[in-house]
Amino acid sequence: MSAPLSQRIRVSLPVIDAGAAQQRRDRVPPAALSPWPCEFLDAVMSASPYLARLMERRADTLQALASDTPEALCDRAFARARSAADCDSEADAMHALREAKMDIHLVAALADLAGAWSLRETTAILSSFADAALQGALGFAARDMGLAGEDGTLPGFAVLALGKLGTQSLNYSSDIDLVVIWEAEHFTVPEGKEPQKLATRLTQRLVRLMSEMTAEGYVFRTDLRLRPDPSSTPLAVNGDMARHYFEAVGQNWERAAYAKARAVAGDIEAGEAFIADLEPFIWRRTLDFAAVEDIRALAKQIQAVGNRAELNVAGHDVKLGLGGIREVEFYAQVLQLVFGGRKPDLRVAGTLSALKALSTAGLVDSDTARVLTDSYTFLRHVEHRIQMLEDEQTQTLPEEDGARARVAALAGYGELDAFDARVADTLRAVHNAFTEQFEEGESLATHEGSLVLTGVEPTPDTLETLSRLGFSDPVRIWHQLSGWAAGRARAARTERARRLFSRLAPRLVEAIGATGDADAAFARFAAFFEGLPSGVQPLSLLAAHPALADELVTILGLAPNLADEIGKRPALLDVMLEPSFAAPLSETGPASQDALAERLARGESFEDAMNVARRFVREERLRIGAQLLRGRAGASDAAQAYSQLARHSVTAMAQAAGREMERRHGAAPGRWHVLGMGKLGGGELSADSDLDLIVVYEPEAEYSDGSQPLEAPVWFTRFTQRLVSALSAPTEEGALYPVDLALRPSGSAGPVAVALKRFETYYRDEAWVWERMAMTRASLVVSSGGDAAISLAISDAVNAHALSEAEVCAAAADMRSRLERDKPAASSWDLKLREGGLLDIEFAAQTGLVARRLGPEPSTRKALELLAGKGWLEEPDAHVLLEAHALYEAVTQLTRLAHGSGFDPQDASDPFARRLAQAAGCPSLPALKARVEDLAGKTRSIFINVIEKRASPRDG
């Protein structure tokens, strides 16, 4: 229209505060006010302090609106913004841009509030001004840096607008989403200069001109985070690099973002060519149902809004909240992306145009299109009025009634209740349509609320969700999750892996939150996930078996050692799916020797056997460890299972070593026996125990009978070396167990394989008391046959001595004293070495067996019970020692499983501390500590009474 704006007022706005309106009117020159209907300006000034200040500062513009059309004034503001390119100084350029912005804001607001412009016209004017401001600012910066051509052009350097500026539907107080592209073959720079550095500096100058706050305000807040991989790319992106990025790892949310791209400044032709190059990425020719799955997942995340589902207009975010602007935009753009590849008519800019095109194409029914169009228009009007209050980038309706009444007044509502009702009805109508479109499929939000991982910044609801789940720094967590969803992890490089991760993410973060220490559990999950060599297989397993994800997160959260193992060997996830994995050890028992033998039979070589055994043991260790960690198995059950597993391994490797020796050097020239000592012999191994072994042989021939015969001692020595290598040498599958042969006769000074006769004479004539004590725990693990002689020899090693009870006790007390001196406990939590710890209990049991010549009893618990029955221990003392042993075993099994030896429970995470206390039957870690101290004191007293007081003074 050609009439001035003062004559085009079509709506009546209520004056909510006449006194405030009069105060603000008094600050504006009367000449600027007089042509206007008094009630209209009073309504605007009473509701919007920002617009009242603009009328005061730009009174000439307000007066001009009474004689010129708003369109003409906007054209002049556009020209003023573009003229910044020709300014003499940066200060002059910034002044020109900000003056023009104030004029546009005043004109656009009054034309919108008067009803003179539609939503499309208002947003188009705001967008055109942004274009002009960018052109003026870039023109000045390029000329000032010496990069502009003689005609002022900037070949090869293009500024793209995305988001609402891209679709020419900019908000009243919006920031602007920009992507800066430079093309190497066209962007010319002075000789000797680096194009990338200059392109980045030019972009920084552009941003400062637009965004820096001066006394006159700012022009637009500028956001460059929609460029490819913003965390690792410069502000200005090389065009070829960007094209490669989208071809390789571009995501569906980026398709949605770049579908709105428009070249707005710099080399427009180069910008348009770059956007055209992206068309195959954005608009796929086939119906992209893989992308539909991904988009539907995002829709589900948007849909599950936690507490926002309780629709309350006060404080509601009309853009991001339930039934808000984003739901309409998403509704339309999903259909555009899916069908736009084959239907070019759908590739229109702007949500309203998209809804019309979709309705025309029969993809949205006309009633739904009408409801969404009307709702979107109303909500955008509300959004503008929220922003007009103080020129703030917000879409949230004020919670306070008085402030919200000002928004209502600018929207033409004199009664707040009527406005609130209209807003609520609109939000429900939008959300009903959105829900109907995306109601299929599983929800991809957590029970705590939405989890949206796409885009360049987290939504408020997503941050609230992460905070409720226990994360101390939700923004950091979101950026890491979002990076994974974007493919910034080796395991998420493929499109399928990224889709799987997006589906899993809500369940994973919820499970991580449920551990009770979300930050620590997330750190361990991150180490696991980022260490995966590839992601499709493990992510597929986790997606197909939701309970597996919970189990995995629990293990990762409580046990860093297991987390490391699973991260290195993700195929272990397959094991976690087997029914026996979750079945209690008390029902299934440890894996059988037959199961290992069956798998070994599939191999052909000694090396095959070593690798098969390593895989078998790794899988069983994980099963036993998970059982212990989750409380499905007690410490004693786990110790027995670990020990049985080790016995199976030693048996299998000894037999494999024997076969290999026979293949190379002929059948063994006699029989061999492998003894398990220490905790292996006693059935008390933990997750990271080494194996104490002794190999004894009975020679029956001088040489082996093969083509390369060996003398008997050499044959059995090499056999032992092969056995140790089979158990401890690292292969492609890792190692089985560290092996220690130091308990053999003469220790490291003696041969690694001991002849039976030497074994017998050593223990009859030379053994120290501590060596006889060690033999109380000897157990025959595997033998090539005829074990009667070795069994008798073990018994004699304990019993065949002429020492008195006092002499045995004196020697044991002396050895314990030396250990305390030479190898002191690291802390009071060192339950093995501390006073009153496991060594005191074991010494009490082993000393009694040797002193009373009761023969070997490898199990500490059984030895204590035996000694109580024989009168070596008083029944109450035996009860205390058994109770202490059970407590120490419970603590040691869990800590060594989760953290390895040397871990101090005082450093435990809260969840692990709770689990540790629970395993020990205590309500808390301090209560467990008190229980340990109590039993340690009693144990040390018993040790003194049983050992030291029985020692003969002359034998010390």
Side-chain angles (χ1 to χ4, degrees):
M1 294 181 62
S2 57
L5 182 58
S6 61
Q7 299 174 24
R8 292 163 60 180
I9 299 171
R10 299 174 181 173
V11 297
S12 175
L13 304 179
V15 179
I16 62 168
D17 187 342
Q22 185 58 53
Q23 289 179 355
R24 292 163 183 167
R25 174 181 281 276
D26 291 344
R27 302 188 188 116
V28 181
L33 296 171
S34 58
W36 287 87
C38 180
E39 185 173 311
F40 176 74
L41 290 187
D42 283 354
V44 174
M45 286 191 288
S46 68
S48 170
Y50 172 67
L51 292 178
R53 292 194 297 272
L54 274 185
M55 292 182 207
E56 179 183 353
R57 296 186 69 174
R58 306 301 295 167
D60 291 346
T61 302
L62 178 63
Q63 185 172 353
L65 281 169
S67 57
D68 288 344
T69 66
E71 292 82 5
L73 286 174
C74 288
D75 287 341
R76 289 202 283 274
F78 299 160
R80 175 80 166 126
R82 291 192 184 97
S83 73
D86 302 319
C87 287
D88 295 330
S89 68
E90 184 172 276
D92 289 344
M94 295 177 84
H95 173 71
L97 290 167
R98 283 151 181 76
E99 270 201 341
K101 185 266 180 84
M102 287 188 282
D103 284 345
I104 283 292
H105 254 205
L106 181 58
V107 173
L110 293 179
D112 182 2
L113 295 170
W117 286 351
S118 66
L119 174 65
R120 288 177 187 269
E121 290 171 315
T122 302
T123 57
I125 286 291
L126 293 170
S127 302
S128 295
F129 171 71
D131 292 356
L134 286 165
Q135 291 158 12
L138 181 61
F140 172 81
R143 185 169 57 83
D144 193 53
M145 290 176 63
L147 296 175
E150 293 183 2
D151 56 357
T153 60
L154 189 60
F157 187 95
V159 179
L160 312 182
L162 276 67
K164 287 188 166 60
L165 178 56
T167 58
Q168 296 180 291
S169 55
L170 204 60
N171 290 334
Y172 187 74
S173 296
S174 179
D175 61 357
I176 53 177
D177 295 308
L178 303 179
V179 174
V180 177
I181 298 293
W182 62 276
E183 302 288 5
E185 64 270 29
H186 300 300
F187 182 53
T188 56
V189 299
E191 187 174 351
K193 298 294 184 180
E194 171 59 46
Q196 179 63 72
K197 290 182 179 179
L198 284 179
T200 298
R201 284 180 51 206
L202 179 56
T203 303
Q204 291 169 333
R205 287 288 299 276
L206 171 65
V207 170
R208 186 168 77 251
L209 286 163
M210 297 291 288
S211 303
E212 188 170 291
M213 181 67 71
T214 71
E216 296 172 305
Y218 65 97
V219 189
F220 286 99
R221 290 171 289 263
T222 305
D223 193 335
L224 295 168
R225 290 175 297 170
L226 289 179
R227 68 187 184 276
D229 199 7
S231 63
S232 59
T233 54
L235 297 180
V237 184
N238 178 280
D240 289 336
M241 187 284 293
R243 292 180 185 90
H244 176 74
Y245 169 87
F246 289 120
E247 289 172 3
V249 294
Q251 298 180 81
N252 282 308
W253 75 264
E254 289 172 312
R255 292 176 58 202
Y258 280 80
K260 301 176 181 179
R262 181 171 62 90
V264 295
D267 189 339
I268 300 295
E269 184 177 343
E272 290 175 344
F274 175 81
I275 294 170
D277 289 342
L278 297 189
E279 281 197 3
F281 164 68
I282 300 169
W283 307 108
R284 298 182 180 176
R285 294 290 300 168
T286 56
L287 291 181
D288 188 6
F289 288 105
V292 173
E293 178 185 346
D294 194 11
I295 293 167
R296 189 178 295 279
L298 177 56
K300 284 293 175 184
Q301 293 167 349
I302 292 172
Q303 190 175 8
V305 292
N307 291 337
R308 289 193 291 108
E310 302 167 8
L311 202 159
N312 186 358
V313 172
H316 196 81
D317 188 325
V318 298
K319 177 182 179 181
L320 302 178
L322 180 146
I325 292 166
R326 181 178 62 172
E327 290 190 6
V328 184
E329 293 171 343
F330 195 88
Y331 183 105
Q333 194 164 24
V334 166
L335 296 174
Q336 281 184 292
L337 287 175
V338 173
F339 295 101
R342 296 176 60 187
K343 296 179 180 290
D345 290 346
L346 299 180
R347 304 177 195 176
V348 294
T351 300
L352 295 178
S353 297
L355 288 170
K356 182 177 180 180
L358 291 165
S359 178
T360 300
L363 296 171
V364 176
D365 68 74
S366 58
D367 289 342
T368 300
R370 177 183 52 76
V371 168
L372 291 177
T373 296
D374 293 346
S375 299
Y376 184 77
T377 301
F378 174 72
L379 292 174
R380 288 294 303 274
H381 278 310
V382 171
E383 178 185 38
H384 282 181
R385 281 142 185 79
I386 293 170
Q387 295 171 349
M388 287 175 188
L389 297 183
E390 287 292 355
D391 187 28
E392 293 177 341
Q393 187 189 2
T394 178
Q395 305 89 24
T396 301
L397 283 162
E399 292 189 17
E400 195 268 319
D401 286 354
R404 200 165 67 261
R406 291 160 54 197
V407 179
L410 291 176
Y413 287 83
E415 299 293 332
L416 181 59
D417 288 347
F419 173 75
D420 284 352
R422 172 72 188 279
V423 171
D425 289 345
T426 302
L427 296 172
R428 289 192 188 95
V430 169
H431 192 62
N432 287 342
F434 184 83
T435 301
E436 184 177 345
Q437 174 74 2
F438 297 107
E439 64 185 353
E440 297 177 8
E442 60 181 313
S443 174
L444 295 180
T446 75
H447 291 103
E448 295 293 339
S450 69
L451 186 73
V452 179
L453 301 181
T454 56
V456 296
E457 62 182 8
T459 66
D461 287 319
T462 293
L463 293 181
E464 187 178 346
T465 295
L466 292 171
S467 181
R468 281 198 296 266
L469 286 169
F471 294 99
S472 63
D473 188 353
V475 174
R476 180 183 64 82
I477 297 299
W478 181 88
H479 279 291
Q480 194 155 4
L481 290 168
S482 178
W484 293 342
R488 286 191 286 277
R490 183 170 48 180
R493 285 297 185 190
T494 67
E495 185 174 353
R496 173 154 176 75
R498 293 193 294 275
R499 289 202 307 274
L500 287 166
F501 177 77
S502 294
R503 287 178 56 195
L504 275 170
R507 186 177 191 99
L508 288 172
V509 296
E510 194 162 45
I512 289 169
T515 64
D517 189 353
D519 291 336
F522 183 82
R524 290 174 192 145
F525 179 81
F528 159 75
F529 186 72
E530 292 181 345
L532 290 174
S534 64
V536 171
Q537 182 178 0
L539 289 172
S540 296
L541 282 173
L542 294 171
H545 302 277
L548 178 60
D550 298 340
E551 184 93 7
L552 174 64
V553 167
T554 299
I555 292 172
L556 297 180
L558 290 176
N561 279 11
L562 284 183
D564 291 343
E565 184 67 21
I566 296 172
K568 293 173 186 173
R569 310 279 181 177
L572 286 170
L573 293 176
D574 290 331
V575 179
M576 295 173 68
L577 293 175
E578 296 177 4
S580 63
F581 188 84
L585 284 175
S586 58
E587 296 177 6
T588 63
S592 69
Q593 183 72 56
D594 290 342
L596 176 55
E598 181 182 345
R599 289 172 65 168
L600 287 169
R602 302 170 194 163
E604 297 181 356
S605 67
F606 183 59
E607 289 72 20
D608 289 341
M610 291 170 65
N611 285 322
V612 168
R614 281 153 174 73
R615 287 192 292 271
F616 181 84
V617 169
R618 185 165 53 242
E619 293 169 4
E620 280 299 300
R621 272 183 181 153
L622 176 62
R623 183 174 77 94
I624 298 166
Q627 298 267 333
L628 177 62
L629 203 62
R630 298 302 299 270
R632 301 186 187 115
S636 179
D637 291 334
Q640 287 290 333
Y642 283 130
S643 302
Q644 194 63 45
L645 178 62
R647 295 177 77 92
H648 294 338
S649 302
V650 173
T651 298
M653 293 298 94
Q655 291 169 346
R659 288 192 296 270
E660 182 67 7
M661 286 298 296
E662 289 178 4
R663 184 180 69 81
R664 291 172 177 258
H665 303 290
R671 294 191 295 273
W672 50 260
H673 316 283
V674 181
L675 310 186
M677 306 293 289
K679 293 192 181 299
L680 173 59
E684 298 166 5
L685 289 182
S686 56
D688 65 344
S689 294
D690 58 5
L691 304 183
D692 292 308
L693 302 177
I694 297 177
V695 177
V696 180
Y697 66 93
E698 298 178 60
E700 297 174 342
E702 190 175 350
Y703 288 91
S704 61
D705 61 0
S707 58
Q708 300 178 48
L710 297 174
E711 289 183 293
V714 176
W715 194 101
F716 289 110
T717 295
R718 292 193 184 178
F719 161 78
T720 303
Q721 291 167 338
R722 282 198 173 275
L723 170 59
V724 172
S725 177
L727 289 167
S728 60
T731 73
E732 63 195 63
E733 295 291 343
L736 273 177
Y737 298 94
V739 174
D740 192 340
L741 300 177
L743 291 177
R744 68 189 185 270
S746 301
S748 58
V752 294
V754 185
L756 179 60
K757 287 190 180 298
R758 172 58 184 153
F759 183 91
E760 292 169 337
T761 58
Y762 180 85
Y763 281 99
R764 184 179 64 242
D765 303 329
E766 303 174 38
W768 297 83
V769 168
W770 71 263
E771 291 178 296
R772 298 185 187 279
M773 291 167 60
M775 287 305 295
T776 66
R777 309 204 73 187
S779 171
L780 184 60
V781 176
V782 59
S783 174
S784 63
D787 58 9
I790 186 61
S791 297
L792 178 60
I794 293 171
S795 180
D796 286 346
V798 176
N799 297 337
H801 62 84
L803 298 169
S804 69
E805 186 173 287
E807 288 173 324
V808 172
C809 289
D814 179 64
M815 175 57 69
R816 182 70 182 101
S817 177
R818 291 185 185 188
L819 284 173
E820 288 179 348
R821 182 192 65 209
D822 298 338
K823 197 174 181 182
S827 74
S828 60
W829 282 105
D830 188 341
L831 300 185
K832 177 180 179 180
L833 298 177
R834 66 161 292 165
E835 287 188 1
L838 280 167
L839 270 185
D840 280 1
I841 298 172
E842 292 170 357
F843 265 54
Q846 295 163 21
T847 303
L849 292 172
V850 174
R852 292 290 175 92
R853 296 176 177 82
L854 297 175
E857 178 42 75
S859 165
T860 302
R861 285 187 294 275
K862 290 180 180 179
L864 293 172
E865 292 167 352
L866 173 64
L867 290 167
K870 297 294 185 178
W872 171 263
L873 291 173
E874 299 290 339
E875 286 288 348
D877 289 349
H879 177 76
V880 169
L881 296 182
L882 286 166
E883 185 179 356
H885 187 273
L887 180 72
Y888 297 165
E889 186 174 53
V891 173
T892 302
Q893 283 288 349
L894 261 180
T895 53
R896 295 187 72 167
L897 166 68
H899 296 278
S901 59
F903 176 74
D904 191 331
Q906 292 298 130
D907 300 328
S909 65
D910 288 344
F912 185 74
R914 288 194 296 271
R915 176 68 190 97
L916 191 60
Q918 177 193 39
C922 296
S924 65
L925 190 63
L928 171 58
K929 176 66 171 172
R931 186 66 179 141
V932 166
E933 293 302 324
D934 177 59
L935 286 172
K938 292 177 179 178
T939 297
R940 173 47 63 123
S941 295
I942 294 169
F943 177 84
I944 292 172
N945 288 330
V946 171
I947 306 296
E948 294 184 0
K949 289 185 177 180
R950 283 178 170 159
S952 170
R954 61 182 171 81
D955 293 321

